[in-house]
Amino acid sequence: MREHIMRITEFGAVGDGKTLNTLAFQNAVFSLKSYADKGGAQLFVPPGRWLTGSFNLTSHITLFLDKDAVILASQDPSHWQVVDPLPSYGQGVDLPGKRYLSLINGDTLHDVIITGDNGTIDGQGLVWWDRFNTNSLEYSRPHLIELVSSENVFVSNLTFLNAPAYTIHSVYSNNVYIHNVTANTSPESPYTIGIVPDSTVNVCIQDSTINMGYDAISLKSGWDQYGISYARATANVEIRNVHLGGAYGSSISFGSEMSGGISDVEVKDVHIHNSLTGIAFRTTKGRGGYIKEIDISNVHMVNVGTAFIANGSFGTHPDSGFDENAFPLVSHIRLHDIVGENISIAGGFFGTKESPFTSIILSNISLSIKNSDSPVDSWQCSYVDGSSESVVPEPCPELKSFDSDYGRAESL
């Protein structure tokens, strides 16, 4: 069976950058549903500027953008459907209540491909950023792509620009592969994030370049009591060969919404640049959950404020219903084979008295600290336990001793 191909123009779409094509995209997907059991279907977007509001995909579909095709997100909020918050969050992330549906959506789908010949999806996010900054949003901002409770999702060979909030958000999903994508927003864009695996398992992100206003890649798994109750972890994640920048956030972050847990993550072959923070672990009391079994290696950082930060008192609560005794676990974090140039601060590891961070292992790390006559002051630690070997500048006392047996076991 062969994939059935249809062009968006067959459904009346006009690629002039002005005509609203939401109905054309919706009708095209509806028409292609009939080919789901006949080898699947492809919706081809030819050269042009295709303005649209939010629309849903279907299973067994390929959305393919020509190299000169640009899908433009409408800047009119009335063109975006309003939906309930995700159950693991309990409310919108930007403000209480509902949220705008993302530009391209999938719910309970399988075998979905979003790809092209380096075509572009432009969120035209400036109006959303302005509304966020002026507290004039009615609902939480939309994302560019969101796949919910879906399986076998592939996103590749595309450029994403100006996401209103997140660029690619996979939530409650399984088998998500993101390859050869570029995602950029303005450095001043508020709390924009590139790729967000959220309560999602079996994820691979590779060969991509991401530069965002806040975080480039952020792993999440739900917010306080809602995430604890929903109990869906993010696990088995591989990130490799990526170039990342987070102007006012972190190039790679874990949390702060991580109440369902984050574990078994391997990050390697990463270039981090022009970021407030290089690698961040964020959580707080009342969050519950865990961040554990994380291995990060072969990282090159340039022009970074703080290379590493682990903060046990970071982030807000969705409402007053959280359990103040839900203490998060942060343990078995390994950072090794890392070089940094023009770094302001080496790192800070700040656990809490109720739940100290444990088994933080640092090895073969060399950071060039700028404008520092006392590089030993470049590390700060509290309520943390771990060890280190071959780390420059020398880390804080809590991380200085090296357990050779533990380090050898971790490397096996």
Side-chain angles (χ1 to χ4, degrees):
M1 292 186 293
R2 297 179 59 186
E3 185 179 62
H4 185 81
I5 301 175
M6 300 187 79
R7 299 167 70 91
I8 190 62
T9 50
E10 296 178 50
F11 299 89
V14 179
D16 60 3
K18 300 177 181 179
T19 303
L20 187 66
N21 296 296
T22 310
L23 188 60
F25 277 100
Q26 291 171 343
N27 288 341
V29 172
F30 181 80
S31 177
L32 291 170
K33 281 185 179 180
S34 62
Y35 297 93
D37 299 325
K38 303 173 185 177
Q42 180 188 120
L43 177 58
F44 179 77
V45 182
R49 295 172 64 79
W50 309 91
L51 182 68
T52 181
S54 54
F55 64 93
N56 295 307
L57 298 178
T58 187
S59 294
H60 299 288
I61 194 172
T62 298
L63 176 64
F64 189 100
L65 277 66
D66 179 270
K67 65 181 178 66
D68 295 318
V70 181
I71 292 180
L72 289 172
S74 171
Q75 295 177 305
D76 185 342
S78 69
H79 298 155
W80 300 74
Q81 185 180 346
V82 176
V83 296
D84 290 332
L86 291 164
S88 59
Y89 283 78
Q91 68 165 47
V93 173
D94 291 329
L95 71 171
K98 296 189 176 185
R99 63 196 185 106
Y100 289 104
L101 191 65
S102 299
L103 181 68
I104 300 172
N105 297 276
D107 194 339
T108 323
L109 303 183
H110 52 90
D111 303 308
V112 173
I113 300 173
I114 303 171
T115 188
D117 187 18
N118 200 32
T120 300
I121 299 175
D122 188 343
Q124 300 200 104
L126 180 60
V127 296
W128 298 99
W129 308 335
D130 287 344
R131 291 186 184 109
F132 178 89
N133 286 330
T134 58
N135 297 313
S136 56
L137 283 168
E138 288 190 71
Y139 307 101
S140 290
R141 292 171 295 169
H143 312 313
L144 285 188
I145 293 177
E146 184 174 77
L147 282 304
V148 181
S149 301
S150 296
E151 186 172 8
N152 301 332
V153 174
F154 299 84
V155 182
S156 66
N157 304 325
L158 291 171
T159 294
F160 297 91
L161 301 175
N162 305 312
Y166 302 169
T167 300
I168 302 172
H169 186 212
S170 63
V171 59
Y172 321 140
S173 293
N174 181 28
N175 295 338
V176 176
Y177 181 52
I178 299 171
H179 172 251
N180 193 32
V181 303
T182 298
N184 293 322
T185 65
S186 162
E188 288 75 33
S189 58
Y191 295 99
T192 54
I193 306 181
I195 300 174
V196 184
D198 192 345
S199 294
T200 292
V201 298
N202 302 324
V203 179
C204 180
I205 303 167
Q206 68 174 29
D207 303 329
S208 296
T209 299
I210 306 165
N211 294 284
M212 307 299 291
Y214 192 59
D215 292 346
I217 297 175
S218 184
L219 284 68
K220 300 179 180 293
S221 66
W223 201 0
D224 286 8
Q225 70 271 28
Y226 303 104
I228 294 172
S229 175
Y230 204 75
R232 291 285 298 271
T234 287
N236 299 329
V237 179
E238 183 174 0
I239 300 169
R240 62 174 184 259
N241 193 29
V242 289
H243 287 67
L244 308 175
Y248 291 94
S250 179
S251 286
I252 301 176
S253 70
F254 298 78
S256 68
E257 304 90 350
M258 40 62 71
S259 300
I262 300 170
S263 69
D264 300 291
V265 179
E266 182 181 22
V267 180
K268 61 183 179 181
D269 303 326
V270 178
H271 183 90
I272 289 173
H273 55 270
N274 303 330
S275 300
L276 182 65
T277 304
I279 298 166
F281 303 88
R282 307 173 182 141
T283 184
T284 193
K285 299 176 185 178
R287 198 71 93 223
Y290 53 82
I291 302 173
K292 64 180 183 178
E293 306 299 341
I294 313 295
D295 189 288
I296 300 175
S297 67
N298 296 337
V299 178
H300 184 202
M301 297 186 187
V302 179
N303 300 330
V304 172
T306 301
F308 314 107
I309 188 76
N311 191 345
S313 301
F314 185 98
T316 60
H317 302 288
D319 53 46
S320 61
F322 67 95
D323 178 3
E324 61 182 14
N325 294 315
F327 301 118
L329 169 72
V330 178
S331 182
H332 291 83
I333 310 294
R334 187 170 183 228
L335 306 168
H336 59 106
D337 302 303
I338 297 171
V339 175
E341 304 169 29
N342 203 30
I343 309 298
S344 298
I345 299 171
F349 293 85
F350 307 107
T352 63
K353 182 178 181 180
E354 298 85 354
S355 185
F357 298 163
T358 61
S359 299
I360 308 298
I361 309 301
L362 312 179
S363 65
N364 195 24
I365 297 173
S366 178
L367 304 175
S368 176
I369 307 300
K370 64 179 182 180
N371 303 324
S372 176
D373 296 327
S374 302
V376 69
D377 297 330
S378 196
W379 294 89
Q380 292 184 323
C381 298
S382 60
Y383 298 111
V384 60
D385 176 70
S387 59
S388 63
E389 182 180 49
S390 301
V391 176
V392 178
E394 192 174 81
C396 37
E398 295 90 335
L399 299 174
K400 281 185 181 178
S401 63
F402 185 74
D403 185 333
S404 59
D405 290 335
Y406 180 83
R408 183 162 55 249
E410 285 289 299
S411 66
L412 295 179

